[in-house]
Amino acid sequence: MTESVWIDAGYLLAAVCFILALKALSSPRSARWGNAVGAVGAVLAVVLVFLAERPSNLVAILIAILLGGLVGAVAARRVAMTAMPQLVALFNGVGGGAAALVALLELGEVGGSAIIPLVATAFTVLIGAISFSGSAITFAKLQELMTSRPIVPPGAQWLFGGAIIAALALSVLVVTTGNTLIGVVLALVALGLGVLLVLPVGGADVPIVISLLNAFTGLSVAASGYLLGNTLLLVAGTLVGAAGALLTKLMAQAMGRSVANIMFGALRGGSTLGASVESQRPVKSAPAEDIAVLLGYAQRVIVVPGYGLAVAQAQHTLRELADILNERGIEVTYAIHPVAGRMPGHMNVLLAEANVPYEQLVEMEQINPEFKSADVALVVGANDVVNPAARSPQGSPISGMPILDADHAKAVVFMKRSMRPGFAGIENELLYDPKTTLLFGDAKASLTKLVSAVKAL
Amino acid sequence: MAEGIVLLTIFVLSAFTGYEVIAKVSTILHTPLMSGANAIHGVILVGAILVAGRADSAIELIVGLVAVFLATLNMVGGFVVTDRMLEMFKPRKQVERP
């Protein structure tokens, strides 16, 4: 009895570490410390399972851990901050895959005895496999290995409906028979289901999917904890499930749509795919020197950064421009849309990388009333998050999405590479607004020109 | 209490704990939150070690080891990448916005 009590107490300690890790994220000051505590909890848990189980195949297991740790650490160290969302998707997918494999192996052990462990097994296999293949597709979309536009295969509704029915029927069979082979078939169907689930989701909605799949993996880990009678897996998985669910809800709110609409909108044929062709309508553009005058004699400038800024690796140049404007006594703030970037809060990370003080980053609700008093709204690499089409009740794929009110500023400067529509593939009316001036070119080159032009004023 | 009910109790209480803790997370840290939560579910490694350690056929062992590999990738990668991100959110001289 004594040993198992100690082990369970250790698992409890690890669970507390995980809760502290999440709690520490309430402030940037404590967050890094919290993450270290979480990592300590994870190491503790792994040491405990070795002590408690004294598993056979020890050497092979240690080698697998070494390899996994090595690949994970190298990938995490090397990834560019712009590619962060696809890496998180990838890590999430392999976690889900691991959970599904654990449940499949455990199916042989559970046998046909008890019904609840079998339900937990079927659930883990189903959700874990969906998370694995769904994350793989998400990764491919974000990495631009495939188009980021919604893909709706012919007869998608029937295919999807059929796959769901098959998955449910197989789940019931797994529960009633406890047959491992049926479990494998269930896993394969679930893999297909994951693909069908993510294919119709458009690029701009992918952040929601990452968040949702994160919740899925969490729940499958929780179910496997139930299955293995391991309280730590149960607690950790549930925490992640709750985190993912809450974040998904917040993101959906930020886009003004329901989660169901985001996931299944394209399937229902409700979403109009935007044009990818350039428009021929006239716009007003100006050279960097003219924009510099506009900026240099402003009092308040609000910067609206978007993912295009990060793609051009221009965050540092943008900060340089903001610093120079600050020196001239101009107030510069950054307006951060909740879905700017490719995952929730991504833009904050990208700007933090460029040493922009996080105090200057202002969220949508707080900044929107401020645009009226701003002389210039400088839109860099953003598009959909300032598209007034979102305000119209219908007719646009982004209808109802809360946007940054950049068009309320006295003047708008739009830095764009070309007239190509943004990630959501929708034309932006703001570009044709009489108070909008376009500055064409690569964001980094344009910002560099602006910096020297403002200096020369 | 039956074991099933104990586990169910733990599940329900964890769900509420998770929701409450995460509702307080600052919005500027949503990306590290997601990646941190992601690292935490890498603890499925514990389950993977359990099943790989009990494997009694070659195929079971291979599947178990693949699970161990994937789970470690998830866990180690998740914590490292979260740390890298949080490192950039260093406190600055100015006072923090509430």
Side-chain angles (χ1 to χ4, degrees), chain A residues 250-251 254 336-340 343-346 363-365 385 402 404:
Chain A
L250 290 176
M251 290 285 289
I336 309 292
H337 193 275
V339 294
M343 69 189 286
H346 192 196
E363 284 159 41
M364 185 167 63
E365 290 83 29
V385 297
L404 292 163

Side-chain angles (χ1 to χ4, degrees), chain A residues 29 32 56 76-77 79 344 363, chain B residues 27 31 50 52-53 83-84 96:
Chain A
R29 280 165 202 281
R32 199 175 177 207
S56 47
R77 282 254 152 255
V79 68
E363 284 159 41
Chain B
T27 44
T31 291
L50 276 175
D83 183 66
R84 243 188 88 194
E96 191 185 326

Side-chain angles (χ1 to χ4, degrees), chain A residues 25 29 32 35 53 56-57 72 76-77 79 88 92 95 106 214 224 233-234 240 243 249 344-346 361 363, chain B residues 7 11 19 22 27 29 31 37-38 41 43-44 50-54 61 72-74 79 83-84 95-97:
Chain A
L25 283 167
R29 280 165 202 281
R32 199 175 177 207
N35 187 54
E53 285 294 314
S56 47
N57 314 315
R77 282 254 152 255
V79 68
V88 171
N92 181 49
E106 198 59 15
N214 204 21
S224 75
L233 291 188
L234 183 58
V240 179
K249 204 181 88 181
H346 192 196
L361 311 178
E363 284 159 41
Chain B
L7 291 175
F11 171 74
Y19 195 90
I22 289 135
T27 44
L29 292 178
T31 291
N38 192 1
H41 68 50
V43 78
I44 184 65
L50 276 175
V51 292
R54 286 185 205 152
L61 179 61
T72 319
L73 182 66
N74 180 185
F79 280 116
D83 183 66
R84 243 188 88 194
V95 261
E96 191 185 326
R97 286 191 313 113

Side-chain angles (χ1 to χ4, degrees), chain A residues 380-408:
Chain A
V380 192
N383 189 0
D384 299 329
V385 297
V386 293
N387 190 342
R391 292 206 195 99
S392 64
Q394 57 209 6
S396 166
I398 57 167
S399 287
M401 177 171 110
I403 56 164
L404 292 163
D405 298 330
D407 54 335
H408 293 178

Side-chain angles (χ1 to χ4, degrees), chain A residues 293-313:
Chain A
V293 172
L294 193 61
L295 289 173
Y297 294 101
Q299 284 176 336
R300 290 195 66 186
V301 173
I302 299 179
V303 180
V304 180
Y307 185 70
L309 170 78
V311 170
Q313 285 299 311

Side-chain angles (χ1 to χ4, degrees), chain A residues 180-196:
Chain A
T180 307
L181 203 62
I182 298 176
V184 174
V185 178
L186 172 62
L188 293 176
V189 171
L191 286 177
L193 201 52
V195 173
L196 287 175

